[in-house]
Structure formats: structure tokens, C-alpha cells
Amino acid sequence: MRHAFSPLVRITASLVGMTLTLVLLAQAFRIIPDVETEALLNRKRTVEALTIQLTSTRAVVDRSATAEVLDAVVERGPDVLSAALRDASGKILVEAGNHEQFWQRIPDGRSTAEFVRAPIYSGEAEIGGIEVRFAPLPSPWALSLHHGGITALLLYVTLGGGVGYFFVLRRSLRALDPAAVIPDRVRLAMDTLVEGVIIMDEHEQVLLANRAFGRHLEVPTHQLVGKRASEFNWRSAETGGSVPTLPWVKAMATGAAVTDCMLELRAANDAVRTFAVNATPVLDPNGRLRGALASFDDITQMRQQNAELQRTLTQLEESREAIEKHNAELRYLATRDPLTGCMNRRAFFESFGRVFEDAVAKKAALCCAMIDIDLFKQVNDQFGHGTGDRVIAFVAEAIRLHVTDEDLVCRYGGEEYCVVLVSRNLDEAAALFDRIRKAVSRGAAQRFTSRLRLSISCGVTELSPEDSNPAVLLGRSDAALYAAKADGRDRVVTLISETTPETARRRRLTDVPDPAGGQETGVYRALVTATGLIGAFRDRVTQTLALAERHSWTSALLRIELETAGAMAPRAQKEVLERISALLRRSDILALLLGDHAEAPDIEGLPTTSALGPSELGVLLPDASDVNAIGRVVQRLIDMIGEPVNLDGQETLVGCAIGISVSPSDGTDVDTLMHRAEHARRVVRTGRGVERYAFYQPSMTENLLSTMRIENGLRRALDAGELHLLYQPQVELATGRVRGFEALLRWTDAGGVPIEPDRFIPIAESSGLIVPIGDWVLETVCLQARNWQHGSAAQRIAVNISAVQIMSPAFADRVAAILRVTKVDPRLIDLEITETAFMSDIGRAAATLRELRGLGVHISLDDFGTGYSSLSYLKQLPIDALKIDSRFVKDFNETREGTALVAAIVGMAHGLGIRVVAEGVEKVEVLSMLKQMGCDEAQGFLLAPALPASDAFAFAAIEFAVAKNAGTQRAPEAAVAG
């Protein structure tokens, strides 16, 4: 609180007020004589003296003498108005002045200050009296310099005492001023400090307060001197309550310094400030306590910022938890069948792949089973779809009750299930599924109406050494299921893979253990041979196509006509078959369409062969990723068939014509595909096909030819210098400065025609050419970064790394070699990977990335949001930056959902300590919104297109100047820096 007067004036006024109070009290208690009473006594004495004079000189008898005396009294007495001699009867004998007018009879005969009477006696009898009328006395409170009075006294005391007190106190306070003990040089030194400082004596009386402390409290420093430091209403910053022991009190009590004590104090403007207080005792040379020194560091703003940061972190944590919860829900919904709670096919295939690889690596037992509800259509038709759904859930429940947590249970589709048993052999699996079969039959009668007869069929197989992938197990268990249904349903059939010349494809085994004690178990075992007639080939193709339809695979059927002549033709065909057999995967199906001149010894031991026609082969590729993949296999087949065959020292050439049909686009059954592949082959044979192959659909052939031309062009482009790099700036939004570039690969062919990256990069990846091209890109970028580094303009350069590269052998070793040869600072290289690079094998990818991180390079996650976008990946992978895909950035500010999504990505990344870069920024309002959200960097055509190296170097300098003077160069940069 501020005061208008100094302490000296206030003390003086207090003393004067106290003195006046004492005077008034003295007046009230009659300690000071009453003016009226005193005047009455004086006037009575005067009248009595006059009476005595007149009676003693007997002037009272002589009326003329008496008149002279009375006249003299009236004339000489300024306060005497009249006088008279009155006899005992009341008659005036002598008067001076107009006594009859002035005099008033006194009721009780007692004199007053204005009417005074002195009796005259003759002996004992009163014979008359002298009466004197005096002027009225002035009011004791009236101010009069002549008559005085209480008011005059008070005025005198006020003026005289005030002046006297003021001078005396001023001299006394100067002598007693506690601040006088502080030298001026110390005071000046204290005033230069930013922290508030007070020096106090041992009684906490403030001797000195510097200017900073006064500013903190919004009080002049001289008003703080002399106060007790504990009177400032300190509160604990931690609890908000009172402080048990103030730090300077504790310091003086213990004789030791007290540091970092958090106190709050409300200033004069009602603002609450927080201080970090340090206190130390002040001792004289003899070690006696003389006081304490306390410093006050104002941390109010810092605490507010920390509180705001904590709130932000709390919100981020809540957002992270909400996102994780949402991700968990999405993962469950994405991996579970809503009706049964079993795995869906996508989750099942991912888990099955891991379990399969683990079993192969450990040479452990692994069984796969397909289960189907028998005659389920009748259940729906007779009892309704609601009952059908409950039946599906009931069977799933029965399966889960009999398996362990390690096993995999999938609702494969409709009323079909797939189960993978870990660490169980075929006999154990067969017995388990037979128990499940019986449990379903018995439980259905109890769960549903007695009219509903429920049974299941099951096909089981086990992992064998020649199985190359899970699809082989699925196909074999699917074949076993068909066998179980063909044998009458309500049974379990096991299928084993054997290579034997027998033509029988299935047989019932009588030596299967029967846990029921010899009763019918419904367990069967089947045997598939590796050779057979056309029926076997057609059956295998039919089964594989059914499996491909379930898995949404693209399959291709090839009809290959071999062009050979002479007596050596059969042996040449056998040699070609052996080559093709070595080229194809185990899951592919190869058939030899034999002529009349072929002999059995020539074809013994060939894989999956069938005698269908002269000089012709049949091949089924069950799982091809796309037409390009089919084309590469076809091209390798053509190259392999075209290699000379050396027979008895003589070279024989074999030609071919290949017709291709693709499922499901050309058909889904074996007859349609065979017919259309034959039609495509005839196109090649009649000369209408330029190449040695043709698809049934001409557009596929054209697409494949275009792909092959690009692939062949890429093979020579690297050596011919047709590839080059452009650099797109990445701008820091907080400052507007260029913080790095992204290297973008471009190709202009020999004819000067640019090829779009979206066209040639996927072909480079699928053909494997991306590995040498990627190494060239990385080496070129490293050399460019080194040049910029030596030119005092070091810039970080990001390089896109393909999934094929990162999964290629010794990729980290090649990167290390390139860094070593180019002698570039690894911190200038940023390797950008996409989510597809690690989704297939996150463990292997994470190990490779950690190895790369150990080289000193940065790692960025590119195209975030287009894949799984899972928090678990961000936690497991050593990621430095996250790039939001341009599809999210382009117009995200136009919808609330888009804005919330980008804000969540930025907040999540920052919560994990990851830098965020936005790609594809093309609008100023998008850029502004990104900056408000806290996005770290951005790139896009709005900021700058991809530039040649020389232009990029110049652009970096321009950007730096723009950041210094926002708005003086180009509008986009001003938007960033502003």
C-alpha cells in the first residue's frame, strides 16, 4: 500500500494528535482550570473588595460618594456594564450605568459570572448590597488572541508541537535510520542486480531493499526499510499455505545458508509472484549474528511456462493414450472376426507366416487344419440366418476350448475355419480335431433344438521338410478337407506329402490310434503322389485355383509349346524340363504334355508332370503379385529354354511359344484358363505376336512389353548417364530457413523423353535394379553433401530408400562403404524409408536401421499415414523424423477431421521427440495452419520445386536472407518467416 506522506510526517502528526487528545482529556477532567469559574471568582473578589471599601469608609452612607465610586468602577472596568447600591427592600439607592436595564434578578441569590452581588450587613442583619453587571464571558472554544481559551490552546499546541516534533524527530530518525549502516557503494551495487535483495538485522528489520525487490512488490524501496521481512504475507509456492519457517529465519537460527526455497507473495497490484529464495546469515568478525541477506529470483514466468508445458504434456499424454486405446480397438477390429472373436484372414496370414518360419528354423512340429460345418446351407434354410450365426459362433467356441493360446484359430470364410497347432505332430492333431468333432456333435443337441443335427469335417496336414511357405500347408489341408467331405463328411482326414510312383491319391489307414477304444474315430490319412496323368494335373490346378480364390491371389496358367526336331527331341525336352523345374518354386505346378514318341524313362522323376499333348508344357503360377511379375518369370523361361542343349557333344536348340491366361480376369476354372491360354499361344504361333509369348488379353501383353522396354532401358540408363538428381528444399517453419533438401531421382532417356518416376521406380523395385540405382543415388548425394560442406553451406540431404534396398543383403555395409569412400559427414545424410519397408519383417528392418543409425546418419519415416501408421512402429524403430504424406497435407485444413488428424500426428511425434516434416505443401493457408500446429519443416511447390544442385545451393542462401527480412523477397518465404 502506498502512502502520500513520508514516515516522518506521519509520526509527527501522530504525536500532535496524541498531545491534543491529552489536552482535551485534561480539560474534560478539570485538570486545566475552567475559564468561567475562574472569571466568576475574580469578579466576586472584585465586588467584595468594592463593598468592603465602601463600608469601611462609610461612603455607603454618603450617597454622592458612593455614586462617584460606582461611576469610576463602570468607567474603568472594560467588562463592567453597570453597578448599583440596593437596600434590603430591593430599592436602588445609587446606580452607575443603566443598571435596571442590565440587571436580572438572580432566582436563588447566587452570583454568576455576569451578575455578581455582595451583601452589606449591619451586625447580623443584611441591610442591602452592591450589585455589578459584568459583560458576558467569551466562549471557551472561541478563538481569541486576547482572552485565550481552549481553542487557542489547541491551535498553539498543534502548530508549536507539530513544528517542534518534526524537527526533533527528523534529527532522531537520521541518527536511528537503519539504512544508514549500509554504505552507498553497497546500495548502488545491490541496485544493479536483477534479483531482488534485502538485508535485515537479527530482528528481521529490513535495512536495505534493492530496486529489483521494490519492483517485484510494486512498492518504493524506502517504504520497505524498517519493516520486518516476515510481515510481507509470504506463502509456500508448493502448498499455497503459510510457511512454517522462513528461509532467512532458518538461516539465522542454524547459521547456515538456505537455498532454493519457493515462496509466493502478492504484490501491491494484486499480482502473485513466485520467488526462488536464497538466504545466508550475516556474522561480524567475532562470529556473532548481525542479520541475514536474502535474494529473491522472480521465477513467476518460468513457472507459468512450466505449468503450460505440463498441461501440454498432459494433453499430449492423454491424446497418446486415447490414440493407443483407439489403435488397440482398431487392431482388434482389424484382426478379429466380429461374430466369433477368431482371427480374420489378414491377421491369420501374418501370424501364420511368423509361426511357419519359427517352426522351420527350429525344425519343430506344426500342423494346419481346415474345418467346415457340414451342410450349413441347410441350417440357414431350415432355422434361419440368426441360428446360422449362433452355430458359427458355437463351433468357434468349441475349437478355442480345445486349443492353447499359442495356437492360431481363424474364421477362414463363411462356415469354414483354419487352425494352426504349434508343437504337435500329425497323430496328436488328428486326435485333437476328432475330439472337437465329437464335442460339436454332442454340444449342438444341448445348445440348439434337437432337430438341428450338426457335424463338421476336418482336413489336417503337417509341416514337411520340402514345404517352402504356409500356402503349401494351406493347400494340402484344404485338399484333405475336400477328401473328408467327399468321403461322407463328419470325419477327420489327414494328408501327408510323399513322393511315390503310386497313382492312388488317398488311402484309409487302419493303424490310426483310436482314443475311444477301437470305435469309429472318423480319422483318415491321405497320400498325394508327385506324378500322374492329365487328371492329376487338372485336379491340382483346380485345388490351387480354389485356394487362390480364397486368398485373392492372381494366378497365371502358361501353355508352352517346345520347338524341337530330330531324334534328340525327347532328350532335349527332358533337359528343358529339368531346367524349368529348377527355376520354378515348389508351390508352382509344372506339367509335361507328352507326344507319342516320348518314353517313360525320359520323364521319370520330373516334377508334377502329366501327359497331355505333343511337345507341350503346362505351368501354373498360383500366386503372382501382378502382370509384371508374370512377365519376368516368362522372360526367364524364354531365356532358359533358348539356351543350347548339349547332348552327346552336339548342341541342340529349343524354341518356344507361350500362351498365358490370368485368373481371375480371364476365368476361374481350369477349362476356361486352358482354352484361353491355348488361344494366346496360337496368336504367337501364327506370327501375330511379335514376341515369343502373348497374354489372352492383348492389353496385358502391351503393358508387359512396355514394362520390359522400361526395364531394359533402366539397365543401360545408369551407365549411359541418363539418370540425374534434383533437390527439393525443406524449410524450417519457425525461421523460414532451408534446413535440408530431398534428393529426387529423374530419368531422361536417350531420345530426350523424360520418364515419370511413378512409372520407372516400381519397375526398378520389382526387377531388383533399384539396388544398384539406389547405391548410385546415395553415392551421388554423399558427394554433393560433401561439396556443400566444403563450400561452407552444409545442408542435410534426404535420400529415399526402397523396401527392396533395406531388405537386400549387406545394405548397411554398402552404406558404410559409401560414407567411408565419399568422406562425408554422416549427419548430413537422412535416409527416408516407408512403412512398407518393415511391415513384412519389422525385427530385421529395425536391426538394419539401428545399424545404419550407428553410422551417424539420420532416419526418417516417409509417407506416414499411408500404411499401418502404428505407434508401436515409432517406438521400436530408431526414427529421427516423420514425414506426413502429401495426400494428408494437401487440403487438410478444409475439414475438421483432416485438421484433427494432422494435429494428432504432430502432437504424437513431438511427444516421442520426433521431428515432423509436411510434404506437398501447395497453399499458403495450409502452410500457415501447419506452422500454428507446430510442424517443424515443410516442402512443396509453394516453397520451391525440385532444383538442380547449383540452383539449390543458391536457393539456400536466398532463403537465409528471406528469414532475416521476412517479406522482402518472395511471398512464400515471408509466410514462413512471419
Side-chain angles (χ1 to χ4, degrees):
M1 178 179 178
R2 295 187 175 182
H3 297 282
F5 301 101
S6 66
L8 176 61
V9 173
R10 295 200 304 273
I11 294 173
T12 300
S14 298
L15 290 175
V16 170
M18 184 176 63
T19 304
L20 293 177
T21 302
L22 293 175
V23 171
L24 292 175
L25 289 174
Q27 172 70 19
F29 290 108
R30 306 288 182 174
I31 297 174
I32 297 177
D34 183 55
V35 175
E36 185 176 357
T37 303
E38 189 70 22
L40 176 59
L41 293 175
N42 290 334
R43 289 179 176 182
K44 287 178 69 176
R45 292 191 188 98
T46 301
V47 174
E48 290 175 353
L50 177 61
T51 302
I52 293 171
Q53 180 183 359
L54 291 174
T55 55
S56 61
T57 59
R58 300 190 63 85
V60 69
V61 180
D62 186 356
R63 294 185 180 180
S64 59
T66 301
E68 291 177 1
V69 172
L70 293 180
D71 288 338
V73 170
V74 172
E75 291 176 359
R76 295 178 181 177
D79 55 344
V80 178
L81 299 180
S82 65
L85 173 63
R86 192 185 297 272
D87 60 11
S89 62
K91 179 182 179 181
I92 297 176
L93 302 178
V94 179
E95 68 176 343
N98 192 358
H99 187 70
E100 192 67 33
Q101 178 183 352
F102 290 114
W103 183 261
Q104 293 181 4
R105 185 173 297 277
I106 302 174
D108 55 358
R110 299 179 63 180
S111 299
T112 65
E114 296 180 21
F115 304 95
V116 181
R117 179 178 183 277
I120 300 174
Y121 293 94
S122 176
E124 294 294 331
E126 180 179 346
I127 61 173
I130 300 298
E131 298 175 347
V132 179
R133 171 69 164 86
F134 290 92
L137 292 174
S139 172
W141 299 101
L143 180 61
S144 174
L145 298 178
H146 301 286
H147 299 283
I150 193 66
T151 302
L153 176 62
L154 294 177
L155 180 61
Y156 172 75
V157 170
T158 299
L159 296 177
V163 173
Y165 288 148
F166 179 82
F167 287 104
V168 171
L169 286 174
R170 187 172 67 174
R171 293 179 59 87
S172 300
L173 289 177
R174 285 180 179 177
L176 298 175
D177 183 11
V181 302
I182 307 299
D184 290 340
R185 62 179 181 275
V186 175
R187 193 187 312 277
L188 292 174
M190 293 295 183
D191 286 339
T192 61
L193 298 177
V194 177
E195 297 86 358
V197 177
I198 61 173
I199 300 176
M200 65 193 79
D201 61 15
E202 62 270 26
H203 303 296
E204 298 184 67
Q205 184 180 9
V206 176
L207 304 178
L208 169 68
N210 69 344
R211 292 177 182 172
F213 189 76
R215 285 195 302 269
H216 293 334
L217 270 64
E218 297 290 336
V219 174
T221 55
H222 68 270
Q223 295 184 14
L224 301 174
V225 175
K227 291 188 175 181
R228 287 173 56 86
S230 58
E231 295 177 355
F232 295 145
N233 193 23
W234 299 100
R235 295 185 303 173
S236 172
E238 284 77 11
T239 65
S242 60
V243 184
T245 305
L246 293 169
W248 50 87
V249 175
K250 184 177 180 180
M252 288 190 290
T254 61
V258 177
T259 59
D260 294 330
C261 181
M262 300 299 168
L263 299 180
E264 287 184 350
L265 181 64
R266 186 177 299 275
N269 59 357
D270 288 335
V272 177
R273 293 186 176 274
T274 305
F275 300 97
V277 183
N278 299 319
T280 184
V282 177
L283 307 177
D284 64 12
N286 298 323
R288 288 178 298 184
L289 181 67
R290 291 301 185 185
L293 183 146
S295 64
F296 300 83
D297 188 7
D298 189 354
I299 59 172
T300 305
Q301 185 176 6
M302 183 180 68
R303 281 175 63 90
Q304 292 173 349
Q305 292 174 347
N306 289 342
E308 182 65 27
L309 178 61
Q310 187 61 43
R311 283 192 295 270
T312 302
L313 292 176
T314 301
Q315 293 174 356
L316 287 175
E317 182 64 21
E318 292 174 352
S319 299
R320 184 186 66 81
E321 292 175 355
I323 292 173
E324 288 183 350
K325 181 180 179 181
H326 184 60
N327 284 345
E329 294 173 353
L330 290 179
R331 281 195 296 270
Y332 183 84
L333 294 175
T335 59
R336 297 290 171 176
D337 173 61
L339 177 60
T340 63
C342 300
M343 287 182 174
N344 59 23
R345 291 173 60 167
R346 173 183 170 184
F348 172 74
F349 289 144
E350 292 179 355
S351 301
F352 193 9
R354 292 192 296 268
V355 170
F356 181 88
E357 292 178 359
D358 188 61
V360 171
K362 297 179 180 178
K363 297 181 179 180
L366 187 70
C367 290
C368 179
M370 298 293 291
I371 301 174
D372 187 69
I373 302 175
D374 297 330
L375 304 175
F376 182 72
K377 185 176 183 301
Q378 296 180 8
V379 174
N380 277 336
D381 293 342
Q382 295 179 16
F383 301 97
H385 290 281
T387 301
D389 288 346
R390 290 193 290 120
V391 167
I392 291 174
F394 164 70
V395 174
E397 179 184 353
I399 296 172
R400 287 199 301 267
L401 288 175
H402 287 80
V403 299
T404 66
D405 292 339
E406 294 181 346
D407 302 326
L408 307 179
V409 180
C410 167
R411 185 186 178 191
Y412 207 68
E415 69 276 16
E416 196 171 14
Y417 307 85
C418 186
V419 181
V420 175
L421 301 181
V422 179
S423 302
R424 302 198 197 191
N425 59 36
L426 190 60
D427 290 334
E428 293 173 338
L432 172 67
F433 287 112
D434 193 50
R435 290 196 296 273
I436 294 175
R437 181 186 64 83
K438 293 177 179 179
V440 169
S441 298
R442 289 193 301 266
Q446 301 172 1
R447 180 73 64 91
F448 306 101
T449 176
S450 59
R451 293 187 297 111
L452 195 159
R453 299 181 61 83
L454 192 63
S455 65
I456 61 173
S457 298
C458 179
V460 191
T461 189
E462 67 177 342
L463 179 65
S464 63
E466 63 270 18
D467 293 336
S468 60
N469 56 58
V472 179
L473 279 175
L474 288 171
R476 207 157 56 237
S477 62
D478 203 32
L481 174 61
Y482 281 120
K485 298 176 79 68
D487 281 344
R489 300 186 176 88
D490 192 17
R491 63 197 62 214
V492 177
V493 169
T494 61
L495 193 66
I496 59 176
S497 177
E498 295 183 7
T499 303
T500 165
E502 300 175 12
T503 58
R505 287 175 296 159
R506 188 178 68 248
R507 60 187 174 88
R508 178 172 178 175
L509 300 184
T510 58
D511 57 348
V512 177
D514 184 2
Q519 298 179 358
E520 177 71 28
T521 64
V523 179
Y524 292 87
R525 180 170 295 174
L527 175 67
V528 173
T529 62
T531 64
L533 300 176
I534 182 173
F537 173 70
R538 294 173 63 86
D539 286 348
R540 289 291 302 276
V541 172
T542 299
Q543 293 173 9
T544 305
L545 289 176
L547 186 63
E549 184 178 1
R550 290 192 183 92
H551 293 283
S552 300
W553 292 342
T554 297
S555 303
L557 192 147
L558 283 59
R559 297 194 68 160
I560 307 173
E561 181 179 354
L562 301 178
E563 300 171 348
T564 57
M568 307 295 288
R571 293 176 62 190
Q573 290 181 5
K574 182 176 186 296
E575 176 67 24
V576 170
L577 273 171
E578 291 176 347
R579 293 178 183 178
I580 295 175
S581 177
L583 173 66
L584 299 178
R585 302 172 300 176
R586 291 184 178 273
S587 59
D588 298 332
I589 300 174
L590 169 65
L592 173 61
L593 314 182
L594 298 173
D596 296 335
H597 54 274
E599 300 180 359
D602 293 329
I603 62 172
E604 285 185 2
L606 293 180
T608 320
T609 59
S610 298
L612 297 180
S615 304
E616 188 178 353
L617 304 177
V619 176
L620 180 69
L621 308 176
D623 182 15
S625 59
D626 53 23
V627 175
N628 294 337
I630 298 172
R632 282 190 293 275
V633 174
V634 170
Q635 189 63 50
R636 287 199 295 268
L637 287 173
I638 293 173
D639 294 341
M640 183 173 291
I641 293 171
E643 293 179 1
V645 178
N646 194 329
L647 300 174
D648 299 333
Q650 181 180 354
E651 287 190 350
T652 299
L653 297 178
V654 180
C656 68
I658 303 176
I660 309 165
S661 59
V662 178
S663 175
S665 58
D666 294 337
T668 57
D669 62 276
V670 62
D671 292 329
T672 302
L673 292 176
M674 290 281 284
H675 173 74
R676 292 182 174 178
E678 172 63 15
H679 175 82
R681 185 182 62 80
R682 287 177 182 174
V683 171
V684 179
R685 294 292 295 153
T686 56
R688 285 182 285 168
V690 178
E691 298 290 336
R692 304 311 301 159
Y693 64 88
F695 285 87
Y696 175 73
Q697 297 184 26
S699 60
M700 289 188 178
T701 304
E702 291 299 323
N703 290 338
L704 183 58
L705 290 174
S706 175
T707 298
M708 292 300 179
R709 285 193 293 269
I710 291 177
E711 182 175 332
N712 294 332
L714 275 175
R715 294 184 185 278
R716 65 172 181 271
L718 191 58
D719 295 332
E722 297 175 4
L723 300 177
H724 63 280
L725 297 178
L726 298 179
Y727 300 88
Q728 187 171 41
Q730 295 175 336
V731 178
E732 186 177 50
L733 298 185
T735 63
R737 298 180 180 177
V738 174
R739 288 304 185 189
F741 295 90
E742 180 179 3
L744 301 176
L745 181 62
R746 297 292 183 265
W747 176 25
T748 304
D749 65 12
V753 178
I755 311 298
E756 291 296 325
D758 291 343
R759 180 73 176 123
F760 72 81
I761 287 180
I763 296 174
E765 290 181 330
S766 60
S767 65
L769 290 174
I770 194 67
V771 174
I773 292 175
D775 290 348
W776 174 84
V777 170
L778 181 60
E779 183 176 359
T780 303
V781 165
C782 289
L783 291 173
Q784 186 61 69
R786 189 191 65 181
N787 291 339
W788 282 344
Q789 177 183 357
H790 290 169
S792 300
Q795 296 288 342
R796 184 184 67 241
I797 305 179
V799 183
N800 289 285
I801 302 299
S802 166
V804 178
Q805 289 177 268
I806 199 169
M807 301 304 287
S808 63
F811 174 67
D813 294 337
R814 297 202 308 276
V815 173
I818 293 173
L819 293 174
R820 184 171 57 255
V821 171
T822 57
K823 298 180 181 179
V824 69
D825 186 348
R827 294 173 297 179
L828 299 179
I829 305 301
D830 190 346
L831 303 183
E832 293 187 358
I833 63 171
T834 60
E835 293 177 81
T836 56
F838 53 78
M839 282 192 299
S840 60
D841 190 348
I842 187 172
R844 178 180 173 186
T848 302
L849 292 181
R850 282 192 288 271
E851 191 173 356
L852 292 171
R853 185 75 172 276
L855 299 175
V857 299
H858 290 265
I859 305 294
S860 296
L861 182 59
D862 198 9
D863 298 338
F864 185 78
T866 60
Y868 286 101
S869 305
S870 173
L871 283 175
S872 61
Y873 291 152
L874 299 182
K875 292 180 180 178
Q876 296 180 49
L877 300 176
I879 301 299
D880 297 295
L882 181 151
K883 300 189 72 174
I884 306 176
D885 188 73
S886 59
R887 284 171 285 183
F888 290 93
V889 173
K890 186 176 180 182
D891 295 308
F892 78 91
N893 64 320
E894 296 183 359
T895 63
R896 183 176 61 182
E897 293 79 4
T899 302
L901 178 61
V902 174
I905 292 174
V906 173
M908 174 188 64
H910 286 172
L912 296 173
I914 297 175
R915 192 175 77 254
V916 180
V917 182
E919 296 182 296
V921 178
E922 298 179 358
K923 297 181 179 180
V924 174
E925 54 268 25
V926 170
L927 185 68
S928 177
M929 184 74 75
L930 288 169
K931 184 178 180 182
Q932 293 177 13
M933 289 180 175
C935 182
D936 300 289
E937 298 175 15
Q939 67 182 85
F941 193 79
L942 175 68
L943 300 169
L947 304 169
S950 58
D951 294 342
F953 181 86
F955 186 85
I958 293 175
E959 282 288 327
F960 183 81
V962 168
K964 292 282 189 179
N965 303 283
T968 60
Q969 301 284 341
R970 299 167 55 204
E973 286 81 351
V976 174

